[in-house]
Amino acid sequence: MKNFIANEEQAFYIDGTQISGISSINMGYTIPSEKEVFLGYNGAIKSMQNGAGVGNLSFSRLMISDDEPITRLFLSKSGFNGGLKYGDKSLNFESGYINNYDCSFTVDQIPETSLSASIFGKMGNEAESNLEIKENP
């Protein structure tokens, strides 16, 4: 099939550990800006950055394995790195910090967890991400 990426060629990882059971993932980046308008300025209106860029990450997963690679992040004071590998491409991030973590349990169902985080470092294929992926036991 054209543009088909097999499951084995996709991976989401945090601090070098592949996270299993991912059912959805969202990543984005916002750069705050404002229009550049000055008194007496007679040129084209441009935008200029007026704050630090901030990324966001959220994902949901079925807890088919230990959640320790995620819960240990609660103790991290320096943030975490990670990324999404998709075929031969990747989207990495640096300095993620947890905003919210939820875990839900239902009788006769696989437990589900979700996490949202803010990213204050680099985001993109040039960001450091600890690419040495270790499978989550």
Side-chain angles (χ1 to χ4, degrees):
M1 280 188 237
K2 186 177 181 182
N3 296 327
F4 177 75
I5 303 292
N7 193 37
E8 299 82 36
E9 296 179 51
Q10 304 173 49
F12 176 68
Y13 46 94
I14 292 178
D15 281 344
T17 301
Q18 184 172 346
I19 306 299
S20 59
I22 298 292
S23 57
S24 70
I25 188 166
N26 293 301
M27 297 173 84
Y29 200 77
T30 304
I31 299 174
S33 61
E34 62 184 48
K35 291 184 179 177
E36 187 179 79
V37 181
F38 300 100
L39 184 62
Y41 183 72
N42 197 13
I45 297 176
K46 300 177 186 176
S47 291
M48 64 180 187
Q49 185 172 343
N50 67 350
V54 177
N56 57 62
L57 160 72
S58 63
F59 66 85
S60 299
R61 69 181 287 266
L62 297 173
M63 198 185 308
I64 58 175
S65 62
D66 186 9
D67 219 23
E68 192 270 335
I70 297 169
T71 56
R72 74 171 175 238
L73 300 174
F74 298 143
L75 304 174
S76 174
K77 294 180 182 175
S78 62
F80 58 92
N81 298 344
L84 176 64
K85 180 180 175 285
Y86 189 79
D88 60 349
K89 298 178 183 177
S90 65
L91 177 60
N92 305 320
F93 63 87
E94 297 174 1
S95 299
Y97 292 87
I98 295 174
N99 295 329
N100 189 43
Y101 174 81
D102 290 316
C103 187
S104 62
F105 300 88
T106 305
V107 175
D108 292 333
Q109 298 289 322
I110 298 173
E112 295 182 49
T113 62
S114 63
L115 178 135
S116 66
S118 293
I119 300 164
F120 297 101
K122 292 180 183 176
M123 191 170 183
N125 60 358
E126 74 283 349
E128 292 294 322
S129 61
N130 300 336
L131 283 173
E132 295 178 25
I133 298 173
K134 303 175 286 257
E135 297 257 342
N136 186 15

